């Protein structure tokens, strides 16, 4: 079941900045991790984010488990089970764990938004001391209305995921590693594993609708970043820099799949030389060197 569970990796940033309260609904949906204005270090904020993410994953896995218990009662599948050798040998339906492969796919979306937002706080608040957390939180509450200079600063003066920059790459790898390692500790009701994925399909829109403004400059209800790619318009260093960033993620930890959408201008891959450039681009991802930009 490859898309049982969909997780918004950016929402825990919002929860960490509001002590577990969802600012869109006003409800306490996450654990209390403290007033961010009282955090003395970025590590405290990152710990709050991790705690909120863990809570989201635990609640989500518990919800899937509760529903799976009723699978064979609501939707028995004897015809499908009769075509699967392991189900026949075990005498079990697919929903009872009869199949050899019984994974739950957990899809993580909004990786770029999470990494970029965390870096904004690390750099603008704790490193450069250009802003306070209170100023950022107030701008988020106002959806950046009346705070356009601040929003422009957050977008243009703080490095973003997808440009080969070390700081956002490091935080994106941290988020992805923690999310994957946590998901892989769970076992579903059919006795199978949970398997991590990083893609979005239409979830970048549906989850974005349920997410308020974020420190990366994204406004409330706007779409999240697609797949493992950057937020739209934030990758400005070329496709090879984008691939350099994405290659920092350990995709051996996403057995349920990952997606990166690339857009190339037709002129860059036109003719024999364009085909050679495209081939070199694909092959470069199997070794350390980066090809000449196209």
């Amino acid at each position: 079941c490859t898309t049982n569970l969909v997780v918004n990796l950016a929402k825990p940033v919002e929860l960490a900045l509001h002590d577990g309260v969802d600012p869109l609904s006003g409800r306490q949906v996450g654990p209390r991790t403290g007033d961010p204005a009282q955090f003395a270090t970025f590590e405290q904020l990152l710990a709050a984010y991790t705690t909120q993410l863990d809570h989201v994953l635990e609640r989500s896995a518990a919800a899937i488990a509760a529903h799976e218990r009723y699978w064979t009662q609501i939707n028995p599948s004897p015809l499908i089970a009769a075509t699967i050798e392991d189900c026949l040998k075990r005498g079990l339906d697919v929903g009872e764990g009869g199949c050899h492969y019984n994974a739950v796919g957990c899809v993580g979306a909004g990786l770029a938004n999470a990494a970029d937002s965390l870096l904004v706080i690390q750099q603008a608040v704790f490193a450069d001391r250009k802003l306070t957390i209170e100023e950022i939180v107030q701008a988020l509450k106002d959806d950046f209305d009346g705070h356009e200079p601040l929003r422009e600063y957050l977008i243009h003066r703080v490095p973003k995921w997808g440009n080969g920059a070390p700081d956002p790459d490091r935080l994106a790898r941290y988020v992805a590693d923690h999310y994957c390692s946590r998901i892989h500790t769970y076992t579903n009701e059919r006795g199978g594993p949970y398997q991590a994925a990083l893609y979005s399909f239409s979830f970048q829109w549906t989850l974005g609708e349920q997410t308020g403004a974020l420190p990366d400059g994204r406004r409330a209800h706007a779409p999240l970043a697609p797949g493992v790619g950057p937020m739209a318009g934030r990758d400005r260093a070329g496709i090879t820099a984008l691939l350099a960033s994405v290659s920092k993620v350990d995709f051996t930890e996403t057995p349920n799949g990952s997606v990166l959408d690339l857009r190339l201008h037709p002129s860059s891959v036109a003719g024999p030389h364009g085909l050679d450039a495209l081939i070199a681009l694909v092959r470069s991802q199997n070794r350390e060197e980066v090809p000449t930009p196209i």
Side-chain angles (χ1 to χ4, degrees):
C1 299
T2 56
T3 316
N4 278 42
L5 178 58
V6 182
V7 173
N8 183 345
L9 299 174
K11 189 70 177 182
V13 176
E14 192 176 21
L15 297 178
L17 290 173
H18 294 86
D19 198 16
V21 174
D22 177 9
L24 295 183
S25 67
R27 295 172 52 213
Q28 184 79 39
V29 299
R32 294 193 176 277
T33 46
D35 179 1
Q38 302 303 313
F39 292 163
T41 66
F42 172 70
E43 286 68 29
Q44 289 178 284
L45 188 280
L46 186 61
Y49 168 80
T50 304
T51 299
Q52 297 293 345
L53 176 58
D54 288 348
H55 182 72
V56 169
L57 295 176
E58 288 166 7
R59 285 190 60 190
S60 301
I64 291 296
H67 284 78
E68 279 196 319
R69 297 185 190 116
Y70 301 99
W71 182 350
T72 54
Q73 297 178 38
I74 297 172
N75 188 29
S77 308
L79 181 59
I80 295 175
T83 68
I84 298 175
E85 184 175 349
D86 287 296
C87 289
L88 292 173
K89 287 181 178 178
R90 298 171 183 174
L92 296 174
D93 200 347
V94 292
E96 295 175 307
C99 304
H100 179 75
Y101 298 103
N102 277 306
V104 162
C106 180
V107 179
L111 176 64
N113 304 101
D116 291 347
S117 295
L118 290 171
L119 183 59
V120 159
I121 298 168
Q122 182 181 36
Q123 178 171 311
V125 175
F126 292 102
D128 297 342
R129 300 191 179 279
K130 295 281 188 181
L131 300 165
T132 65
I133 287 187
E134 294 97 323
E135 289 175 309
I136 292 178
V137 169
Q138 186 59 54
L140 300 182
K141 289 180 179 178
D142 296 336
D143 197 16
F144 293 109
D145 288 342
H147 304 274
E148 190 57 30
L150 183 148
R151 180 171 179 262
E152 291 296 314
Y153 171 80
L154 299 181
I155 292 174
H156 298 291
R157 297 298 181 184
V158 181
K160 297 294 184 291
W161 167 251
N163 294 284
D167 290 335
D169 290 2
R170 171 179 47 81
L171 282 170
R173 174 67 184 260
Y174 172 85
V175 171
D177 282 352
H178 185 85
Y179 152 72
C180 292
S181 64
R182 190 72 176 181
I183 280 297
H184 293 155
T185 65
Y186 300 136
T187 301
N188 64 42
E189 288 296 299
R190 292 166 283 131
Y194 279 72
Q195 293 186 331
L198 289 167
Y199 56 82
S200 56
F201 288 160
S202 62
F203 307 131
Q204 67 196 77
W205 290 281
T206 55
L207 294 178
E209 283 286 338
Q210 302 166 27
T211 306
L214 292 173
D216 65 347
R218 175 194 155 278
R219 292 186 182 275
H221 310 296
L224 299 175
V228 295
M231 191 64 176
R234 306 290 168 85
D235 55 322
R236 300 174 180 176
I239 191 171
T240 52
L242 169 58
L243 291 173
S245 285
V246 173
S247 66
K248 299 299 191 301
V249 175
D250 182 1
F251 291 109
T252 66
E253 293 300 313
T254 57
N256 197 57
S258 296
V259 174
L260 171 65
D261 294 321
L262 297 178
R263 292 173 177 83
L264 300 173
H265 192 278
S267 63
S268 66
V269 290
H273 294 297
L275 180 59
D276 290 341
L278 181 60
I279 292 171
L281 184 69
V282 173
R283 287 178 174 172
S284 71
Q285 301 315 300
N286 294 322
R287 50 185 197 269
E288 293 184 359
E289 65 265 26
V290 176
T292 302
I294 61 175

